[in-house]
Amino acid sequence: GAVVSQHPSWVICKSGTSVKIECRSLDFQATTMFWYRQFPKQSLMLMATSNEGSKATYEQGVEKDKFLINHASLTLSTLTVTSAHPEDSSFYICSATTSYQQYFGPGTRLTVT
Amino acid sequence: KQEVTQIPAALSVPEGENLVLNCSFTDSAIYNLQWFRQDPGKGLTSLLLIQSSQREQTSGRLNASLDKSSGRSTLYIAASQPGDSATYLCAGTYGGSQGNLIFGKGTKLSVKP
């Protein structure tokens, strides 16, 4: 079956630093990947849609200059949280689409101290 | 606005009981509906996917139904086990197979031995 990986699985960083999260489709090519964020006891909220070779589309309220998305190949999308602050601490999950459905990565737990 | 609501928010049952989790959605133009399982601090495990043209899907002890006209889906779990304890999320896909998912907040299920 389709497998999506994320790296790292968890990361702790200091306030003001930047963190990069990778999302890879391991056995299929994905022209579209999605990035979601989940706060404690909340559901997943879509942050942005990442399309290979073009700029990402951000949801309302998501700062594109703070959450940089790059989808350089059909199997890799990256999310960089720039100048992270404690309020950015969250669980970040990516998904990659086939023509049939979305497949989700295992998530990345980000803690900003 | 597309919204997905899940009731109840939490449910505790004794082992062996059959149970139903409810999901409702405001926009009937749904492409498909998925049920996921999420364990604490983990990513999503897809349980069942129902296409908009389908009425139900079954996998083992799980059965999911979809009624577009009423905007409802149910997840039926037969003979519940302690290992079924997790948060169950339903999500509707809009805008085709490449569209984003709208998630409910989930039902936290606890099955007592």
Side-chain angles (χ1 to χ4, degrees), chain A residues 75-112:
Chain A
T75 59
L76 173 65
S77 176
T78 60
L79 168 68
T80 301
V81 183
T82 62
S83 186
H85 291 283
E87 57 264 31
D88 298 324
S89 298
S90 187
F91 193 54
Y92 293 85
I93 302 179
C94 72
S95 71
T97 64
T98 66
S99 59
Y100 184 61
Q101 69 181 84
Q102 290 188 33
Y103 296 92
F104 285 81
T108 297
R109 172 77 58 192
L110 171 63
T111 301
V112 185

Side-chain angles (χ1 to χ4, degrees), chain A residues 34 38 43 97-100 102, chain B residues 38 51 97-99 101 103-104:
Chain A
F34 296 97
Q38 185 180 34
S43 190
T97 64
T98 66
S99 59
Y100 184 61
Q102 290 188 33
Chain B
Q38 185 175 33
Q51 296 291 351
S97 63
Q98 304 292 311
L101 272 66
F103 282 86

Side-chain angles (χ1 to χ4, degrees), chain A residues 1-74:
Chain A
V3 178
V4 177
S5 70
Q6 279 186 243
H7 178 79
S9 56
W10 62 274
V11 58
I12 302 173
C13 71
K14 292 188 176 182
S15 186
T17 61
S18 296
V19 174
K20 180 185 285 188
I21 303 170
E22 293 185 348
C23 176
R24 293 181 185 273
S25 56
L26 298 185
D27 50 2
F28 66 100
Q29 295 182 330
T31 55
T32 301
M33 291 184 175
F34 296 97
W35 286 95
Y36 296 84
R37 179 169 53 185
Q38 185 180 34
F39 291 108
K41 299 184 179 181
Q42 297 294 316
S43 190
L44 280 75
M45 297 297 293
L46 180 67
M47 298 176 64
T49 303
S50 170
N51 294 298
E52 187 267 337
S54 64
K55 291 184 178 180
T57 303
Y58 292 81
E59 294 299 300
Q60 191 173 11
V62 178
E63 300 175 56
K64 63 179 182 180
D65 294 330
K66 180 170 183 62
F67 298 99
L68 301 179
I69 292 174
N70 183 278
H71 195 155
S73 76
L74 289 172

Side-chain angles (χ1 to χ4, degrees), chain B residues 66-93:
Chain B
L66 175 64
D67 184 343
K68 286 181 58 178
S69 61
S70 66
R72 296 179 187 275
S73 175
T74 61
L75 178 67
Y76 175 82
I77 302 177
S80 58
Q81 302 171 357
D84 295 331
S85 297
T87 295
Y88 291 81
L89 298 167
C90 78
T93 301

